[in-house]
Amino acid sequence: DIQMTQSPSSLSASVGDRVTITCRASQGISNSLAWYQQKPGKAPKLLLYAASRLESGVPSRFSGSGSGTDYTLTISSLQPEDFATYYCQQYYSTPPTFGQGTKVEIK
Amino acid sequence: EVQLVESGGGLVQPGGSLRLSCAASGFTFSSYAMHWVRQAPGKGLEYVSAISSNGGSTYYANSVKGRFTISRDNSKNTLYLQMGSLRAEDMAVYYCARDDEYSYGFFDYWGQGTLVTVSS
């Protein structure tokens, strides 16, 4: 199975901050990467797929980049509703695997 | 509007069985592969199982292989997960999720989840 490692595990940030979360795969995944946002007690919500393609309805302050084994999720200007846990997921090979999550908290 | 509604969770003793259901609406259920993903309390997301659109192909994580069975009834727009020989480590919120429209393997819609508690 491909291992996905996110960093950091948690971060504190203020409204308006630029936030970057990194996801590293144990082998190359050819941009087959999705990002999800999960708020407490709620289901995950798809934000991006194919590493950089924004899901319909997701605000443009979310963006993704990367290649090979290393990928990033960037929130350009953190909003109050963005405080949540973020997960990456590779779908390059079966089984799909998730990172351990990055919790974005209010500073 | 796409909706996925899980049910069937609850308290079960170790070694017991439970069947989860996921009722789908708002899309052509029979055209999409479907998945189960779980999340233990305070933990991350773990992939559990998948089934192809016609039910002819299934996949199980090693952690549940031989104990869980995924199935679907396309006439009822419903996905199932039959869980047996339950262990404490199976305790989690179980989400059903729809395969993306391109069948790449990510999940574009999720249900609200149903909690399975394994305890004596």
Side-chain angles (χ1 to χ4, degrees):
Chain A
D1 298 1
I2 296 177
Q3 306 303 312
M4 305 299 291
T5 304
Q6 284 182 235
S7 60
S9 296
S10 65
L11 64 90
S12 296
S14 301
V15 172
D17 284 354
R18 181 182 182 88
V19 168
T20 299
I21 298 168
T22 296
C23 182
R24 173 165 288 175
S26 59
Q27 65 184 76
I29 57 172
S30 297
N31 288 4
S32 298
L33 186 89
W35 288 98
Y36 301 90
Q37 176 192 67
Q38 187 180 35
K39 296 182 179 179
K42 300 295 186 182
K45 173 189 173 185
L46 177 66
L47 298 177
L48 297 105
Y49 60 95
S52 61
R53 295 190 180 184
L54 205 61
E55 174 71 349
S56 176
V58 174
S60 59
R61 62 181 180 273
F62 292 92
S63 64
S65 64
S67 63
T69 61
D70 295 329
Y71 298 86
T72 60
L73 170 69
T74 299
I75 309 172
S76 60
S77 177
L78 199 64
Q79 297 302 300
E81 60 267 31
D82 301 336
F83 291 95
T85 300
Y86 293 84
Y87 294 93
C88 62
Q89 177 231 329
Q90 68 80 20
Y91 50 93
Y92 179 76
S93 69
T94 301
T97 46
F98 295 90
Q100 80 280 15
T102 296
K103 187 174 184 179
V104 177
E105 299 176 299
I106 302 171
K107 182 183 284 186
Chain B
E1 179 193 6
V2 172
Q3 287 198 4
L4 299 170
V5 179
E6 300 95 336
S7 61
L11 175 64
V12 60
Q13 292 186 338
S17 299
L18 209 57
R19 188 177 85 156
L20 307 183
S21 300
C22 171
S25 61
F27 66 102
T28 305
F29 181 69
S30 60
S31 296
Y32 288 83
M34 296 294 295
H35 308 265
W36 289 98
V37 178
R38 68 185 180 183
Q39 186 170 36
K43 302 298 184 182
L45 300 168
E46 180 188 12
Y47 189 72
V48 174
S49 185
I51 188 166
S52 60
S53 57
N54 65 4
S57 179
T58 58
Y59 173 86
Y60 299 95
N62 287 335
S63 57
V64 306
K65 197 174 295 182
R67 301 187 299 119
F68 290 11
T69 301
I70 190 171
S71 62
R72 64 191 297 161
D73 186 336
N74 285 346
S75 69
K76 295 183 178 179
N77 291 344
T78 303
L79 174 72
Y80 302 100
L81 186 67
Q82 180 69 47
M83 310 165 67
S85 302
L86 283 162
R87 307 166 179 167
E89 54 265 35
D90 295 318
M91 185 163 67
V93 174
Y94 284 74
Y95 296 101
C96 66
R98 192 183 82 166
D99 204 47
D100 68 275
E101 62 178 306
Y102 313 106
S103 299
Y104 289 154
F106 59 89
F107 315 119
D108 59 2
Y109 288 94
W110 298 62
Q112 86 288 352
T114 187
L115 176 62
V116 173
T117 302
V118 183
S119 176
S120 55

